[in-house]
């Protein structure tokens, strides 16, 4: 097959047709236009975009193909060297037999086409591959409503084909052409055609498959029988055979197969949409995301199982997000419970809802920042009536009781409502709304719209924004934007709270003793490694939240109903907290986590007195390994009693630790323990010598 040397220019030559030379020359002069802004081959290739974006997780595994172009379907650009020889030869034979010897215009074909125009016949036969390519590149050359180019367009097409041949090599012209033309239906380019029709890449095409593709170029939407005849004729011309039965079957099979394009991984479509929305300037066809598919799958299972356990409480959906504290990268993004969700295409992570008590830490943080309160300040938890526009606002605590005089530490850790409203009254509410906006919370209304109830989370906020606001506390008061791609640097950061203020809030939210006033000692918020965590429930129990962070990760959880229907007797401890706890546990299976105090240069001026737990640190995550929380066991009637056992194991055995089952001590946790199962529901705990619960696991025997 003749080929031109890359870079060698080929002059325009009408060869043996002096009459045509005169006609074309006069006409081109009469319609001469400014030189076309000729693109380079690299510019055309760079501008090419596949119809789908491929998203990979942080380990390089393909997790999503997300379609961004619905007009056509195209795959990756195929270079000339990756095309089989018979693909090139078949296309050239069908479309432009003298492609490698003419200078953009085939005079033999053009003469018959040109004079045929005066007798009413079509111009189509005179177009070379180069002429077809310039028509794809220049919108001015596209046929008008008549679906035929005018005589003026035809001469412009000739002129620009000659110009293109002067700058591009033949290989570049053919490569761009084969990647930009339509083959059938929405299939644009050789890659999508070979995958759509034959389920393979272009490199693997056979000669017969090449004939099918070449025959489709001239009339992609022809009836199957017409395509089969065209392919048969092409094969006869190329191979000299007259038996077309096999290739006719191939035509029918491949064109019917086109109706069902190959399916690709679709694990995280809503995460991909969020990635594209937050990274609009970066639309590469292949994107490596920050997502960890390993953790993603585990958290999806955790959420589905826990939501299923709450269906009798009218909880039907949920969402979870995990952020890396240092970088702001999204590691886990579970926007709903998936196929079982009634709103599977709705991203509940980015849906605005009332956030309940999860705003209280920021109320107290701003009071600490302005030196108006300290963790040891006393607030009154007693009935209060606050005049508002509609009358008198009388807030109540969750349990409708009053605790009297309490410290700020107890008020925040136990999520008391009335002290939080008193704390908000010490602030300029306009300034507090500005603080929330600096934390990345958008769409807030004017301060008077909320009034004192803002302290109880009556603002509508997304789980995405709320979780990142908590990450600000984890990062010593410095806010930065969320990142969906590990290679992308975070351009925006700002200081919202001082390191000392952030530490004080974090230390309170990790204080199990202070939390016990409202939640008791035994709950899902008490981890064996350092975490700071807060729960929240919106008005009428419509939304349930749990957001918290360790040294390394911030985890946000929402459970409830997408419709806004209220839940039945579900609190943050029983709703979102179990999901949060299990997610934190899998993230910290082999990690240390500690609360790092800042340098307290002005601690005396702030009136801050660190609690006895202000340096919480565990060398490793201590947790019950088996049975896994939420396990269900079944007694086997065929095995004699006394022969069935359940194995209890712990991650860090100590002589001073003990196993407790439903609050009854059953043995030492200095090693594994075999327990004879009995029907019932059980709470397994491991406690130290002081009675402190180190880990908890709930399971059932049926």
């Amino acid at each position: 097959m003749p080929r031109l040397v890359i870079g060698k220019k080929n002059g325009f030559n009408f060869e043996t047709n002096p009459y045509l030379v005169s006609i074309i020359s006069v006409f081109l002069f009469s319609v001469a236009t400014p030189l076309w802004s000729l693109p380079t081959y690299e510019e055309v290739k760079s501008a090419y975009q596949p119809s789908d974006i491929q998203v990979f997780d942080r380990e390089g595994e393909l997790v999503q193909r997300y379609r961004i172009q619905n007009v056509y379907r195209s795959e990756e650009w195929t270079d000339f060297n990756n095309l089989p020889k018979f693909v090139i030869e078949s296309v050239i034979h069908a479309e432009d037999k003298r492609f490698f010897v003419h200078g953009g215009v085939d005079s033999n074909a053009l003469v018959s086409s040109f004079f045929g125009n005066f007798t009413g016949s079509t111009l189509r036969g005179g177009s070379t591959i180069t002429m077809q390519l310039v028509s794809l590149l220049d919108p001015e050359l596209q046929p008008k409503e008549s679906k035929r180019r005018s005589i003026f367009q035809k001469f412009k097409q000739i002129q620009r084909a000659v110009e293109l041949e002067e700058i591009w090599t033949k290989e570049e012209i053919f490569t761009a052409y084969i990647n930009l033309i339509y083959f059938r239906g929405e299939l644009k380019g050789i890659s999508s055609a070979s995958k759509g029709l034959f389920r393979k890449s272009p490199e693997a095409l056979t000669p017969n498959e090449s004939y099918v593709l070449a025959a489709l170029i001239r009339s992609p939407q022809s009836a199957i029988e017409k395509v089969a005849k065209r392919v048969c004729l092409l094969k006869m011309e190329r191979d000299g055979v007259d038996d077309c039965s096999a290739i006719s079957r191939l035509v029918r099979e491949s064109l019917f197969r086109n109706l069902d394009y190959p399916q690709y991984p679709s694990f995280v479509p809503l995460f991909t949409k969020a990635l594209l929305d937050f990274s609009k300037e970066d639309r590469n066809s292949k994107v490596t995301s920050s997502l960890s598919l390993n953790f993603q799958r585990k958290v999806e299972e955790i959420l589905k199982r826990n939501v299923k356990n709450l269906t009798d409480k009218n909880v039907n959906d949920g969402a979870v997000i995990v952020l890396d504290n240092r970088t702001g990268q999204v590691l886990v993004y579970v926007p709903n419970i998936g196929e079982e969700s009634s709103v599977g295409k709705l991203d509940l992570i980015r849906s605005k809802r009332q956030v309940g008590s999860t705003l209280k830490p920021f109320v107290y943080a701003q009071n600490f920042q302005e030196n108006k309160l300290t963790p040891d300040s006393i607030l009154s938890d007693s009935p209060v009536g606050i005049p508002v526009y509609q009358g008198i606002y009388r807030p109540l605590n969750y349990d409708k009781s009053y605790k009297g005089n309490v410290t700020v530490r107890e008020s925040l850790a136990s999520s008391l409502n009335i002290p939080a409203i008193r704390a908000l009254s010490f602030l300029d509410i306009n300034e507090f709304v500005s603080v929330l906006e600096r934390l990345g919370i958008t769409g807030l209304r004017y301060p008077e719209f909320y009034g004192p109830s803002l302290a109880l989370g009556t603002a509508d906020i997304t789980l995405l924004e709320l979780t990142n606001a908590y990450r600000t506390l984890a990062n010593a008061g410095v806010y930065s934007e969320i990142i969906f791609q590990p290679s992308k640097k975070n351009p925006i950061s700002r200081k919202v709270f001082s390191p000392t203020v952030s530490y004080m809030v974090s230390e309170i939210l990790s204080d199990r003793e202070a939390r016990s006033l409202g939640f008791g000692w035994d709950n899902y918020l008490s981890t064996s490694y350092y975490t700071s965590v807060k729960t929240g429930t919106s008005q009428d129990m419509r939304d349930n939240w749990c957001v918290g962070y360790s040294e390394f990760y911030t985890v946000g959880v929402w459970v409830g109903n997408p419709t806004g229907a209220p839940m039945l007797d579900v609190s943050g401890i029983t709703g979102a907290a179990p999901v949060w706890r299990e997610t934190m546990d899998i993230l910290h299976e082999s990690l240390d986590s500690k609360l790092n105090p800042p340098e307290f240069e002005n601690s005396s001026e702030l009136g801050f007195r660190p609690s006895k737990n202000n340096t919480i640190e565990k060398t490793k995550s201590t947790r019950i390994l088996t049975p896994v929380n939420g396990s269900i066991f079944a007694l086997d009637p065929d095995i004699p009693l006394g022969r069935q056992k359940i194995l209890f194991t712990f991650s860090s055995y100590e002589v001073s630790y003990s196993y407790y089952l439903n609050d009854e001590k059953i043995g030492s946790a200095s090693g594994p323990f075999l327990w004879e199962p009995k029907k019932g529901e059980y709470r397994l705990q491991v406690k130290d010598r002081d009675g402190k619960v180190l880990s908890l696991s709930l399971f059932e025997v049926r």
Side-chain angles (χ1 to χ4, degrees):
M1 177 180 64
R3 294 179 60 180
L4 294 187
V5 178
I6 294 177
K8 184 177 180 180
K9 296 183 174 58
N10 207 14
F12 182 79
N13 179 18
F14 286 119
E15 300 157 90
T16 60
N17 248 299
Y19 298 107
L20 187 59
V21 172
S22 301
I23 295 172
I24 298 297
S25 300
V26 171
F27 195 86
L28 287 178
F29 181 80
S30 65
V31 299
T33 58
L35 284 177
W36 176 37
S37 180
L38 185 66
T40 65
Y41 171 78
E42 289 302 327
E43 288 173 341
V44 172
K45 182 178 179 180
S46 298
Y48 174 87
Q49 282 288 341
S51 58
D52 292 16
I53 288 180
Q54 298 182 52
V55 179
F56 300 84
D57 83 335
R58 63 193 305 113
E59 301 299 328
E61 183 170 351
L62 180 64
V63 295
Q64 187 67 45
R65 291 261 308 208
Y66 190 87
R67 192 162 180 182
I68 58 172
Q69 174 55 262
N70 294 317
V71 176
Y72 58 82
R73 186 183 290 277
S74 58
E75 298 285 340
E76 294 296 315
W77 184 274
T78 301
D79 288 321
F80 188 88
N81 293 333
N82 293 328
L83 292 170
K85 178 181 178 182
F86 35 81
V87 170
I88 300 170
E89 291 176 344
S90 298
V91 171
I92 289 176
H93 184 85
E95 290 298 305
D96 188 359
K97 293 183 178 65
R98 289 161 30 85
F99 171 70
F100 278 100
V101 297
H102 65 62
V105 178
D106 184 349
S107 61
N108 292 343
L110 186 62
V111 169
S112 59
S113 171
F114 181 80
F115 288 106
N117 183 57
F118 294 102
T119 62
S121 61
T122 179
L123 284 170
R124 174 169 54 85
S127 293
T128 64
I129 285 177
T130 311
M131 292 168 66
Q132 293 179 56
L133 177 59
V134 295
S135 297
L136 294 172
L137 299 178
D138 187 356
E140 289 186 13
L141 301 181
Q142 297 298 320
K144 304 301 180 183
E145 295 179 1
S146 65
K147 297 184 179 179
R148 292 178 58 184
R149 293 184 183 88
S150 67
I151 192 69
F152 296 99
Q153 285 181 308
K154 195 68 180 179
F155 278 105
K156 285 182 181 179
Q157 184 185 31
I158 293 170
Q159 177 189 10
R160 289 168 184 176
V162 174
E163 293 174 8
L164 193 70
E165 289 267 355
E166 287 293 317
I167 298 176
W168 288 30
T169 66
K170 288 290 187 178
E171 288 86 349
E172 291 172 342
I173 292 171
F174 186 87
T175 304
Y177 173 76
I178 206 70
N179 279 282
L180 296 178
I181 55 173
Y182 281 90
F183 284 88
R184 184 76 174 179
E186 64 175 1
L187 302 179
K188 180 180 180 180
I190 186 70
S191 291
S192 67
S194 60
K195 290 182 180 179
L197 298 177
F198 306 113
R199 302 298 189 264
K200 59 177 65 173
S201 63
E203 296 91 329
L205 289 170
T206 66
N208 280 351
E209 291 165 347
S210 301
Y211 294 149
V212 174
L213 293 177
L216 283 170
I217 296 175
R218 182 161 298 184
S219 183
Q221 311 309 329
S222 292
I224 292 178
E225 292 303 323
K226 288 186 177 180
V227 175
K229 290 180 180 179
R230 198 180 302 144
V231 175
C232 181
L233 179 62
L234 182 59
K235 181 174 177 61
M236 291 172 61
E237 292 177 355
R238 294 287 298 164
D239 297 345
V241 298
D242 54 6
D243 182 7
C244 293
S245 56
I247 202 166
S248 294
R249 285 196 300 272
L250 176 64
V251 171
R252 291 177 177 83
E253 291 172 0
S254 60
L255 297 192
F256 276 120
R257 190 184 294 125
N258 175 46
L259 301 175
D260 182 22
Y261 200 78
Q263 298 299 308
Y264 290 97
S266 181
F267 299 137
V268 286
L270 293 177
F271 166 79
T272 300
K273 188 175 188 308
L275 182 155
L276 297 177
D277 288 345
F278 282 84
S279 308
K280 291 181 179 178
E281 74 284 357
D282 187 2
R283 283 297 183 94
N284 294 326
S285 60
K286 293 184 178 180
V287 177
T288 298
S289 73
S290 59
L291 195 78
S292 168
L293 186 59
N294 176 40
F295 283 134
Q296 176 81 9
R297 286 170 169 161
K298 291 179 180 179
V299 175
E300 285 175 352
E301 189 278 327
I302 290 171
L303 179 64
K304 290 177 184 178
R305 171 165 41 81
N306 279 276
V307 168
K308 187 175 182 180
N309 292 337
L310 293 169
T311 52
D312 61 333
K313 303 290 186 182
N314 198 36
V315 175
N316 296 303
D317 222 319
V320 184
I321 185 170
V322 177
L323 304 177
D324 181 279
N325 288 345
R326 183 181 62 84
T327 64
Q329 294 175 13
V330 179
L331 300 179
V332 173
Y333 196 95
V334 184
N336 52 55
I337 60 172
E339 294 179 356
E340 299 175 23
S341 173
S342 61
V343 290
K345 295 185 178 181
L346 178 63
D347 189 344
L348 298 176
I349 290 177
R350 294 202 284 167
S351 299
K352 287 185 175 289
R353 296 179 178 275
Q354 288 192 356
V355 293
S357 296
T358 56
L359 282 191
K360 290 175 183 175
F362 306 111
V363 174
Y364 288 106
Q366 189 59 24
N367 271 281
F368 295 163
Q369 189 74 31
E370 297 180 16
N371 294 330
K372 292 179 177 177
L373 290 173
T374 73
D376 294 328
S377 299
I378 301 297
L379 295 172
S380 175
D381 182 24
S382 57
V384 62
I386 303 173
V388 292
Y389 177 73
Q390 291 122 338
I392 301 297
Y393 176 55
R394 301 184 187 278
L396 297 173
N397 286 321
Y398 183 81
D399 60 1
K400 297 181 175 59
S401 67
Y402 303 98
K403 305 296 189 295
N405 289 336
V406 291
T407 64
V408 165
R409 174 182 296 277
E410 293 171 321
S411 301
L412 175 54
S414 294
S415 196
L416 302 179
N417 288 344
I418 297 173
I421 288 176
R422 295 187 190 276
L424 181 61
S425 69
F426 302 151
L427 302 174
D428 181 333
I429 194 169
N430 290 278
E431 176 60 26
F432 182 64
V433 169
S434 296
V435 169
L436 295 180
E437 290 173 341
R438 292 174 63 209
L439 287 166
I441 296 170
T442 61
L444 293 172
R445 302 197 181 191
Y446 53 92
E448 292 76 17
F449 176 84
Y450 304 108
S453 68
L454 183 58
L456 308 185
T458 53
D460 292 331
I461 301 173
T462 68
L463 179 62
L464 186 73
E465 293 172 340
L466 183 65
T467 305
N468 199 36
Y470 271 73
R471 189 175 72 88
T472 300
L473 295 173
N475 283 342
V478 177
Y479 165 86
S480 63
E481 290 184 324
I482 290 174
I483 292 178
F484 288 81
Q485 297 172 245
S487 59
K488 186 177 179 182
K489 295 183 179 179
N490 200 323
I492 298 178
S493 64
R494 53 179 171 265
K495 183 176 179 181
V496 182
F497 303 117
S498 72
T500 300
V501 165
S502 300
Y503 175 82
M504 288 192 288
V505 173
S506 299
E507 195 269 334
I508 291 172
L509 294 178
S510 69
D511 192 334
R512 184 180 179 195
E513 182 178 351
R515 190 188 299 134
S516 66
L517 180 66
F519 301 107
W521 283 88
D522 190 11
N523 57 66
Y524 287 100
L525 305 183
S526 301
T527 59
S528 58
Y529 44 91
Y530 158 68
T531 52
S532 296
V533 57
K534 185 74 185 69
T535 61
T537 304
S538 65
Q539 292 178 337
D540 301 322
M541 290 191 176
R542 297 182 184 278
D543 307 281
N544 193 244
W545 309 80
C546 186
V547 188
Y549 49 90
S550 67
E551 182 182 358
F552 303 102
Y553 305 110
T554 301
V555 177
V557 180
W558 170 87
V559 298
N561 295 297
T563 61
M567 301 170 287
L568 304 175
D569 192 28
V570 177
S571 67
I573 293 294
T574 60
V579 179
W580 177 87
R581 172 62 182 273
E582 287 192 57
T583 301
M584 273 293 187
D585 280 349
I586 66 168
L587 292 168
H588 292 83
E589 285 181 343
S590 59
L591 281 179
D592 302 340
S593 179
K594 60 185 178 180
L595 176 59
N596 299 305
E599 297 295 329
F600 286 103
E601 296 178 357
N602 300 314
S603 59
S604 59
E605 296 178 13
L606 288 169
F608 173 64
R609 178 172 56 82
S611 74
K612 62 183 180 181
N613 297 322
N614 68 341
T615 54
I616 299 172
E617 183 174 357
K618 293 287 185 295
T619 57
K620 279 199 174 181
S621 169
T622 53
R623 55 192 292 265
I624 294 171
L625 300 177
T626 58
V628 175
N629 186 60
S631 296
I632 298 177
F633 299 92
L635 294 170
D636 190 335
D638 296 329
I639 300 177
L641 295 176
R643 297 286 183 90
Q644 301 185 54
K645 302 289 184 182
I646 294 178
L647 178 65
F648 297 163
T649 58
F650 192 58
S651 62
S652 181
Y653 299 118
E654 292 285 346
V655 176
S656 59
Y657 296 166
S658 300
Y659 292 108
Y660 284 78
L661 196 63
N662 288 356
D663 296 323
E664 181 180 346
K665 183 177 179 179
I666 59 172
S668 170
S670 58
F673 186 89
L674 288 172
W675 174 72
E676 183 177 343
K678 298 176 183 178
K679 183 180 178 181
E681 296 182 354
Y682 295 93
R683 183 175 68 255
L684 177 64
Q685 298 170 307
V686 174
K687 299 182 181 181
D688 63 13
R689 67 179 63 188
D690 298 324
K692 179 180 178 181
V693 178
L694 302 177
S695 187
L696 167 70
S697 180
L698 304 177
F699 67 94
E700 181 181 353
V701 178
R702 297 177 180 176

